[in-house]
């Protein structure tokens, strides 16, 4: 072979090698960019995906109830309390979830009566998972269910009907609330409701407006009111409802559509305040203000403002609660 031919082959080999080197570097750069994107977006994906885990858990609860119902069809004619076993089983599951994921504690459970009616008024988190844990503890420790008032939108979610019926969740007309209390049941209600869930934040403002319906229910039923607040509930889950667009969407169309992120395993402590006894000498507006002050007092006493996710996570390692 001539020298010119050998030179051409060498040049061709060098070009091929250079091309492979370029491909290798390009692939390396691509992997670096991909690794960077994963590093950036993985935490965001996690905090937005975790709320859906709660939804999945709720639907698993519904599935369990359907299975339980079919399994006990023959027993239904002989047992007046068909759903007690299902309620207690689900209560145990939720209590276990609270203990493992949030180190859940409840202080003041002795203020919940073993018998007789009481109205429990609580602060509403972005996702009221703390209230689910509270309901589970009432079933386990007191051996009785607590009826609850929920927004009407909850009743429109496919598949939720059975769950709401078994756990005595009602839409909330005053007459129905009074009927439940006069029948001797416990009843839980959040005056802030969806508005508080969406528009409150890590500074924990109560978003009750001038609502007095819950107070009128307590007066008409002649029952005590027990204030309740859960420490760090806003650090577990947070809402982007404070952004102007989502606020406009709710005020204009009453659509509670706002992204919720979180699922952080922060420390949860639920505090029950002293019962506010029935007083025939005060009206609904006065009682509502009194209850609001009581809930605000629990927030001031037990919640460091503003809330901080990292601090709430570190509180998992504190063996005892320190009041502010």
């Amino acid at each position: 072979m001539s020298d010119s031919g050998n030179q051409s082959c060498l040049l061709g080999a060098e070009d091929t090698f250079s091309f492979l080197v370029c491909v290798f570097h390009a692939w390396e750069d691509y992997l670096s960019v991909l690794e960077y994107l994963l590093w950036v977006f993985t935490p965001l994906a996690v905090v937005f995906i975790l709320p859906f885990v709660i939804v999945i858990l709720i639907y698993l609860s519904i599935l369990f109830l359907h299975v339980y119902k079919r399994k006990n069809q023959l027993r239904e004619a002989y047992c007046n309390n068909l759903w007690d076993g299902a309620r207690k089983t689900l209560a145990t599951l939720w209590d276990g979830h609270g203990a493992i994921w949030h180190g859940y504690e409840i202080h003041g459970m002795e203020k919940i009566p073993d018998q007789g009616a009481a109205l429990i008024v609580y602060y509403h988190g972005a996702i009221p998972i703390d209230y689910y844990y509270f309901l589970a503890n009432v079933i386990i420790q007191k051996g009785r269910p607590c009826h609850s008032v929920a927004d009407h939108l909850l009743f429109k979610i496919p598949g939720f009907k059975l769950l709401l019926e078994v756990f005595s969740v009602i839409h909330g007309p005053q007459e129905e609330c009074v009927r439940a209390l006069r029948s001797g049941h416990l009843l839980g209600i959040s005056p802030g409701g969806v508005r508080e869930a969406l528009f409150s934040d890590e500074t924990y403002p109560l978003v009750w407006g001038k609502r007095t319906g819950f107070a009128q229910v307590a007066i008409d039923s002649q029952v005590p009111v027990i204030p309740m607040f859960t420490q760090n509930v806003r650090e577990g889950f947070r809402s982007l409802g404070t952004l102007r667009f989502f606020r406009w969407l709710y005020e204009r169309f009453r659509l509670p559509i706002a992204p919720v992120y979180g699922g952080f395993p922060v420390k949860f402590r639920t505090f029950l305040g002293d019962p506010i006894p029935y007083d025939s000498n005060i009206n609904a507006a006065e009682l509502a203000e009194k209850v609001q002050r009581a809930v605000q007092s629990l927030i001031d006493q037990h919640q460091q403002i503003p809330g901080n996710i990292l601090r709430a996570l570190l509180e998992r390692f504190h063996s005892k609660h320190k009041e502010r």
Side-chain angles (χ1 to χ4, degrees):
M1 185 179 291
S2 65
D3 292 341
S4 59
N6 290 333
Q7 189 174 5
S8 298
C9 290
L10 289 173
L11 289 173
E14 288 178 358
D15 290 342
T16 302
F17 179 75
S18 299
F19 173 75
L20 292 175
V21 170
C22 290
V23 170
F24 175 78
H25 285 302
W27 179 251
E28 193 176 40
D29 291 341
Y30 172 76
L31 291 177
S32 297
V33 172
L34 184 62
E35 183 181 2
Y36 174 75
L37 291 175
L38 286 173
W39 181 80
V40 170
F41 290 106
T42 296
L44 293 175
V46 169
V47 297
F48 280 100
I49 288 172
L50 279 175
F52 289 100
V53 174
I54 301 301
V55 176
I56 292 171
L57 186 58
I58 292 174
Y59 272 101
L60 286 175
S61 300
I62 296 169
L63 178 61
F64 169 81
L65 290 174
H66 279 287
V67 172
Y68 189 91
K69 182 178 181 180
R70 298 295 178 266
K71 183 180 178 181
N72 291 274
Q73 280 180 340
L74 295 176
R75 196 180 304 177
E76 189 170 0
Y78 304 97
C79 182
N80 294 325
N81 297 312
L82 173 67
W83 297 110
D84 278 354
R87 274 192 291 264
K88 290 178 181 177
T89 302
L90 286 177
T92 302
L93 290 173
W94 278 97
D95 183 56
H97 180 272
I100 293 169
W101 195 248
H102 292 290
Y104 182 72
E105 300 174 8
I106 185 165
H107 299 263
M109 195 64 171
E110 69 279 0
K111 296 170 184 177
I112 301 294
D114 295 329
Q115 295 180 342
L119 181 65
I120 300 153
V121 177
Y122 63 96
Y123 171 86
H124 201 302
I127 293 180
I129 190 171
D130 60 308
Y131 183 67
Y132 307 157
Y133 299 150
F134 167 74
L135 293 179
N137 273 266
V138 171
I139 292 172
I140 294 170
Q141 297 186 36
K142 296 294 182 178
R144 59 184 305 198
C146 176
H147 293 220
S148 304
V149 177
D151 191 86
H152 70 280
L153 290 174
L154 199 62
F155 292 81
K156 297 180 180 180
I157 300 177
F160 268 49
K161 182 179 180 182
L162 179 61
L163 183 69
L164 299 176
E165 287 179 355
V166 171
F167 283 91
S168 304
V169 180
I170 59 179
H171 173 231
Q174 290 188 19
E175 298 79 10
E176 195 171 352
C177 293
V178 171
R179 189 181 307 114
L181 289 168
R182 285 181 176 175
S183 298
H185 297 296
L186 299 171
L187 180 66
I189 186 171
S190 173
V194 173
R195 186 179 293 274
E196 192 164 82
L198 293 176
F199 306 134
S200 188
D201 56 26
E202 64 272 17
T203 62
Y204 290 84
L206 294 175
V207 189
W208 292 12
K210 296 182 180 180
R211 294 183 176 179
T212 60
F214 71 95
Q216 190 61 55
V217 165
I219 291 173
D220 293 343
S221 307
Q222 299 183 11
V223 298
V225 179
I226 302 175
M228 186 174 84
F229 169 73
T230 299
Q231 182 187 60
N232 296 326
V233 66
R234 281 279 163 184
E235 280 58 71
F237 291 93
R238 288 189 173 177
S239 167
L240 298 180
T242 53
L243 297 179
R244 183 176 299 178
F245 171 74
F246 299 114
R247 183 96 187 211
W248 172 84
L249 198 63
Y250 180 78
E251 300 294 356
R252 181 68 177 83
F253 302 104
R254 284 297 183 268
L255 293 176
I257 300 174
V260 174
Y261 67 96
F264 305 112
V266 300
K267 183 68 177 182
F268 276 178
R269 295 184 180 94
T270 291
F271 296 92
L272 292 158
D274 293 329
I276 301 171
Y278 166 70
D279 185 352
S280 60
N281 296 318
I282 62 175
N283 58 34
E286 293 169 333
L287 178 58
E289 184 179 353
K290 193 173 184 178
V291 174
Q292 185 167 350
R293 287 200 305 267
V295 175
Q296 185 63 56
S297 177
L298 291 175
I299 296 173
D300 295 340
Q301 186 177 0
H302 300 293
Q303 183 64 53
Q304 191 167 344
I305 304 295
N308 181 278
I309 295 172
L310 179 59
R311 182 177 61 240
L313 287 168
L314 293 176
E315 287 178 10
R316 290 294 303 272
F317 302 97
H318 297 172
S319 58
K320 293 185 179 179
H321 167 60
K322 296 180 181 179
E323 292 188 359
R324 294 182 60 232

